[in-house]
Amino acid sequence: MELRHLRYFVTVVEEQSITKAAEKLCIAQPPLSRQIQNLEQELGILLFERGSRPVRTTEAGQFFYQHAVQILTHTAQAASMAKRISAVNKIVRIGYVSSLLYALLPQIIYLFRQRHSDIQVELIECGTKDQIEALKQGKIDLGFGRLRISDPAIKRIVLREEKLKLAVHKNHRLAEYIEQGLYLSQITHETIFSYPATQKPNFSTLIQSIFTELGLVPKDMVEVREIHMALGLVSSGEGICLIPESASDIGMKNLVYIPILDVEAYSPISLSVRNMDQSSYVPNILACVREVFEQENIHLKMNE
Ligand code: BEZ
């Protein structure tokens, strides 16, 4: 028995007529009748009541019809899922938070493109929280983010904990701490620019939570749209701001970057993937992360 026999049978039942079913299937009526008779012979049962007009199934025929519909539906679903999986495996959509462009993300993506030239990479800027929804909805396949957000459907792999630094103008009184570093308790009375001004939780929430964890309350936190704006204002002598260490490469004029001595002052960098995702791009991107970390002498955390 082939799937086409089931399709013939189901069409005859649904059209209640051999003639209409033959038209719908674009085949002649005699071969369709023959196929139905062959099916009955193969099963050793009558599927249709003899001489009934419109065509009526027997009780066994009705039972067989319901299962035949299920088999055809499952087959169609399997085919469409397989097609989707094959398409997904050829294009990988990577969500990322923009500050990672100053970190190692460009090197990792470049290496991935070189190693897997058959796979098309699409980069989509997306906050860590939005990445969770985007992963669940299949809008992205991998998400590189900075926050500790968990969700039962998502596996979050922490890759490293990047230290934070304080950006100040080179003539600011705190600039003298450039060698020795300072504690966050020393800056609570300063004007501190936080960013981005997007849906929370975001990097600004992370900074707030670090102060809270340390039992500190910054007196003048001012939220601005994004990191460039914060650094531009610091460069204009308006205040100071905390940045992930790698963002010091942005290179805004007249700034110096001071190490923060509190161990709590770090931003976790993590990779989020769908829990059930067995696709090869997951181990493949992790292999690229590992290789870039080795080149840069950075310890890979990878606690899952
Ligand atoms: C990093 O800078 O550590 C990093 C950035 C993006 C993805 C993975 C790691």
Side-chain angles (χ1 to χ4, degrees), residues 176-209:
E176 67 173 279
Y177 290 93
I178 188 149
E179 295 302 333
Q180 73 202 80
L182 50 64
Y183 288 95
L184 292 179
S185 57
Q186 294 173 256
I187 64 166
T188 50
H189 285 83
E190 304 287 334
T191 296
I192 304 171
F193 295 110
S194 73
Y195 51 87
T198 56
Q199 200 199 359
K200 298 206 164 41
N202 55 18
F203 189 72
S204 149
T205 325
L206 175 82
I207 299 299
Q208 277 286 359
S209 70

Side-chain angles (χ1 to χ4, degrees), residues 100 103-105 108 144 159-160 162 246 269 289 293 298:
L100 292 180
L104 298 175
L105 185 65
I108 292 163
F144 285 106
L159 303 171
R160 74 161 158 133
E162 187 181 13
S246 54
I269 297 179
V289 170
F293 275 29
I298 290 176

Side-chain angles (χ1 to χ4, degrees), residues 47-106:
L47 292 168
F48 295 102
E49 290 186 0
R50 288 293 174 261
S52 58
R53 294 279 182 284
V55 172
R56 246 195 343 264
T57 49
T58 58
E59 200 182 337
Q62 189 55 32
F63 176 86
F64 189 65
Y65 165 74
Q66 281 160 3
H67 286 267
V69 168
Q70 280 181 17
I71 292 166
L72 292 174
T73 311
H74 282 151
T75 311
Q77 279 172 352
S80 99
M81 274 306 287
K83 271 194 204 141
R84 250 194 91 211
I85 289 166
S86 131
V88 162
N89 281 339
K90 294 210 165 48
I91 168 164
V92 56
R93 295 183 179 83
I94 304 180
Y96 67 96
V97 293
S98 58
S99 65
L100 292 180
L101 291 175
Y102 309 115
L104 298 175
L105 185 65

